[in-house]
Structure formats: structure tokens, C-alpha cells
Amino acid sequence: MIDTTVFNPFPLLETEQLLFRKITLEDTQDLFAIRSDINVVKYLGRDRIMDTHEVIDNIKILEEALKNGEGIRWGITMKPSNKLIGSIGFWKLNKPHFRAEIGYDLHPDFWNRGIMTKAIKAVTEFGFKKMKLHSIEANTDKDNMATHKVLIKNGFVKEAHFKENYYYNGVFIDSVIYSLLNPFQEQ
């Protein structure tokens, strides 16, 4: 079974340049700037956030998921700043099968700097070593080449391509699933 006891107290993660911390209501404006950007949500299969009330509701949903051991999401900041530039975490925890889905977003001002590659590395390591995950999946839009590249850089492999399995905004969209098996696990 996935170990969600490691969510409390909230685990801070860091790399040389990045700090991963809990998202709070103080991050409302920064998160709004990310989730309202049309370029960020282009491949997410959901509408962009149109006001800060939606962000506040989303932060409350993240809190509830954390409290119930249903998921965890970190805010990404560049050291030494506390300004939120993105987020990353696990959801859709499949506890009996030791599998979780990773999801992430990043403000466009910080794209193409290697930030998400480093973030995925740090968070997947936490998932495997602390949460005891056996595998992590990423459900992506078939046209999101940037996320395909960053997943492959992190060792993910293409596991499936589902044809028109997701309906959004009047269109059926293909999904491509990437996965990563626990590289720290003893065979």
C-alpha cells in the first residue's frame, strides 16, 4: 500500500535551485497567473481559471486531498524567492497497486530552463523512496511535445496511446500515457 503518512507534516523538497513547498492561500495571485494563462492550460483538457475564487476553491481541494491521503501537490519556487512559479504533485493514487499519476504546471516565463526536468526528478524520487510507489504515470495530450520530452528525459517510457478517449470543448482528444517504474526498488 502507498505510504501517505509521509504527507504529514508536509514534506519540503529541494534541489540546488528549487524549493518545493505547500501551496497556501497566500499563493492565490501567483497560482491564478499560472492557471489563467491560455498557454499553460492548452493541453490540460480543462478551461483556464477565470477568477481568484476558482483558485481559492482549488487550494481547498488540494488541502482536502492532502488531509485524506488522496494526493499531494507542491508549489515550485526558485530559491531564495518564495514566489510560486508552478506546481507539481501526485493524484489519482491507486493505493492497492502502488501507482500514482503525476501532474505539473509552470508559468511560461520559466519554460525552457530545465526547471520541470529537475522538479520531476525530485518529486518522483520522493514518490518512490518515501511513498513506496512502484510506478508513476503521466497522462498527456498527444500534441504536447514539450511534456513528452521532459518525461522521456526523466526516464519515462510511452506505455499507451488511447485514441479519442477524452472529450473536451466539443472535440475528442487522444491521450498518451507515459510511465516510470521504481528505479530504486530491489529486484
Side-chain angles (χ1 to χ4, degrees):
M1 190 79 79
I2 295 173
D3 185 1
T4 58
T5 63
V6 297
F7 295 174
N8 189 12
F10 191 89
L12 296 178
L13 306 177
E14 61 183 297
T15 68
E16 193 174 307
Q17 298 173 315
L18 305 172
L19 178 67
F20 306 87
R21 61 165 176 79
K22 189 173 188 176
I23 297 171
T24 68
L25 290 174
E26 293 174 5
D27 298 310
T28 299
Q29 290 302 324
D30 293 339
L31 198 54
F32 177 73
I34 296 164
R35 300 271 176 90
S36 65
D37 189 296
I38 192 72
N39 296 307
V40 173
V41 300
K42 180 178 181 178
Y43 298 115
L44 295 182
R46 63 177 175 237
D47 295 332
R48 65 188 181 129
I49 289 178
M50 300 305 284
D51 66 56
T52 55
H53 297 294
E54 291 178 73
V55 175
I56 292 167
D57 290 345
N58 187 257
I59 292 170
K60 289 176 182 176
I61 289 167
L62 294 175
E63 266 300 318
E64 196 65 25
L66 181 69
K67 186 175 90 174
N68 295 331
E70 297 168 349
I72 185 168
R73 193 145 188 111
W74 288 268
I76 303 170
T77 66
M78 297 273 302
K79 292 179 182 176
S81 174
N82 197 38
K83 180 177 177 55
L84 193 78
I85 63 167
S87 68
I88 187 168
F90 297 114
W91 66 306
K92 291 188 179 178
L93 303 184
N94 189 332
K95 293 179 182 180
H97 300 289
F98 299 83
R99 188 171 172 104
E101 184 175 328
I102 192 169
Y104 45 84
D105 52 32
L106 188 65
H107 193 281
D109 290 351
F110 297 91
W111 288 1
N112 301 311
R113 295 191 194 178
I115 291 169
M116 198 50 70
T117 299
K118 292 173 184 154
I120 290 170
K121 184 178 190 290
V123 169
T124 56
E125 186 171 326
F126 176 87
F128 290 132
K129 289 183 173 181
K130 301 295 185 184
M131 293 172 61
K132 308 299 183 208
L133 294 173
H134 175 71
S135 63
I136 297 171
E137 74 178 62
N139 185 333
T140 69
D141 184 293
K142 73 173 176 59
D143 296 324
N144 192 345
M145 295 308 160
T147 207
H148 296 184
K149 287 178 186 174
V150 77
L151 290 167
I152 291 166
K153 276 186 192 176
N154 277 283
F156 282 73
V157 295
K158 184 176 175 181
E159 192 172 85
H161 184 139
F162 296 106
K163 299 284 189 181
E164 299 183 359
N165 70 315
Y166 191 80
Y167 186 76
Y168 170 69
N169 210 19
V171 179
F172 286 98
I173 303 167
D174 290 9
S175 295
V176 178
I177 309 299
Y178 284 84
S179 70
L180 178 64
L181 296 177
N182 188 340
F184 307 103
Q185 193 167 290
E186 293 180 22
Q187 300 298 325

